[in-house]
Amino acid sequence: MIKVIDLHKNFKNLHVLKGINLNVSKGEVVVIIGPSGSGKSTLLRCLNKLEESNSGEILFKDISVTNCKNGINKIRQDMGMVFQNFNLFPHMTVLENITLAPIKIKKMDKKQAEDIGFKLLGRVGLSDKANSYPNQLSGGQKQRVAIARALAMSPDLMLFDEPTSALDPEMVGEVLEVMKQLAAEGMTMIIVTHEMTFARQVADRVIFMDDGVILEEGSPEEFFTNPKNQRAQDFLKRVV
Ligand code: ADP
Ligand code: MG
């Protein structure tokens, strides 16, 4: 599904990604963990070209993201992204948020987009919120709408950047539940999270990043019971 080869990213003098290599297969759930500032968000943002990388290559379904000239919108349509802070459009209803991209970008007719929107709202448990505005929703509900909105484009890959970090603790579970469901349905997912129990439950593979490099990767079982890298061990001691 996606292949990252020796990816480097600098912000001026700051070398943030220092040679990332990563392959994610169709249907795989990869969880990325690591200390704050290690480059996790930058990596996700490079994958869909919200950030321009400096060298290396990214292939998405065998198409180059890094060298694409004008096909980035097509690539982004197939890669859904969910952010920490939801990024919903505040002046649009829930249903309008979800149907906007299918109508504008996929040129879907409104009725069909709304049918899909209602189905997705059912899937995330928010059928009764179609006509609400984001500011009428809880954080957990907003994030579930953001997930439904990303799914409305029928992506092949979903990127999640700390989707529960901005939520009150009692709302974390409902969002993780939706993500677990997606994983069970076979969605390919790359998830940055600090939720270790969740990571252990849903990940096919865990990746530990620190200071712009991948220091360790393995099955959740291996990684959480017997991390080999010293910095991974120290990190786990602090967070688990
Ligand atoms: P993480 O998501 O692992 O916490 P980030 O990818 O957000 O880490 O950040 C990695 C490093 O890059 C940090 O030192 C951060 O300050 C820096 N950084 C991130 N975005 C920018 C930016 N737009 N401009 C300059 N520095 C940035
Ligand atoms: Mg981050």
Side-chain angles (χ1 to χ4, degrees):
M1 184 66 69
I2 199 157
K3 189 176 216 144
V4 179
I5 306 157
D6 196 24
L7 194 74
H8 288 259
K9 168 69 184 171
N10 295 71
F11 290 110
K12 302 219 171 85
N13 295 330
L14 189 65
H15 197 180
V16 174
L17 298 179
K18 304 173 180 172
I20 298 287
N21 292 287
L22 175 65
N23 280 319
V24 179
S25 307
K26 190 169 164 26
E28 207 181 2
V29 177
V30 171
V31 170
I32 302 178
I33 63 175
S36 184
S38 55
K40 305 179 300 295
S41 295
T42 304
L43 173 59
L44 285 197
R45 293 168 62 80
C46 284
L47 295 184
N48 62 5
K49 239 183 178 181
L50 288 177
E51 292 289 355
E52 195 78 43
S53 46
N54 295 85
S55 69
E57 185 154 38
I58 299 166
L59 299 171
F60 176 54
K61 299 190 291 182
D62 294 325
I63 298 162
S64 178
V65 175
T66 28
N67 296 322
C68 86
K69 295 286 176 286
N70 38 31
I72 191 59
N73 287 330
K74 174 72 191 108
I75 290 172
R76 283 197 192 126
Q77 282 180 41
D78 294 337
M79 249 193 250
M81 182 142 181
V82 175
F83 303 88
Q84 188 173 333
N85 293 310
F86 330 122
N87 295 3
L88 296 176
F89 301 111
H91 59 293
M92 291 182 179
T93 66
V94 162
L95 191 63
E96 286 165 351
N97 266 278
I98 294 174
T99 57
L100 180 71
I103 293 171
K104 289 278 180 235
I105 298 168
K106 283 209 167 156
K107 311 289 176 205
M108 201 180 276
D109 70 60
K110 189 165 175 233
K111 173 77 175 64
Q112 191 192 355
E114 289 185 347
D115 287 347
I116 292 172
F118 279 117
K119 268 202 200 92
L120 287 168
L121 281 174
R123 255 170 89 180
V124 301
L126 293 172
S127 295
D128 55 335
K129 299 293 183 192
N131 297 314
S132 301
Y133 284 85
N135 68 7
Q136 299 171 311
L137 304 179
S138 71
Q141 291 171 334
K142 281 183 210 167
Q143 195 58 300
R144 286 184 282 150
V145 171
I147 294 172
R149 180 177 61 175
L151 292 174
M153 294 297 278
S154 310
D156 296 308
L157 169 67
M158 285 284 285
L159 308 173
F160 292 87
D161 191 0
E162 299 198 31
T164 61
S165 293
L167 300 179
D168 291 333
E170 72 269 25
M171 290 166 192
V172 169
E174 66 197 51
V175 171
L176 296 182
E177 209 44 57
V178 168
M179 293 169 68
K180 277 184 202 167
Q181 185 63 40
L182 264 184
E185 289 164 10
M187 177 61 79
T188 313
M189 299 160 79
I190 304 178
I191 305 166
V192 174
T193 186
H194 294 295
E195 295 291 333
M196 297 300 150
T197 309
F198 167 78
R200 207 169 170 148
Q201 287 168 347
V202 305
D204 294 307
R205 185 150 47 105
V206 176
I207 288 183
F208 177 72
M209 262 182 87
D210 194 7
D211 200 17
V213 292
I214 292 176
L215 289 179
E216 182 158 345
E217 63 182 299
S219 71
E221 193 55 30
E222 276 167 18
F223 180 78
F224 286 109
T225 53
N226 188 21
K228 286 162 196 69
N229 181 275
Q230 183 63 49
R231 277 191 271 169
Q233 291 172 10
D234 295 343
F235 177 76
L236 287 176
K237 268 188 211 128
R238 276 183 276 125
V239 297
V240 179

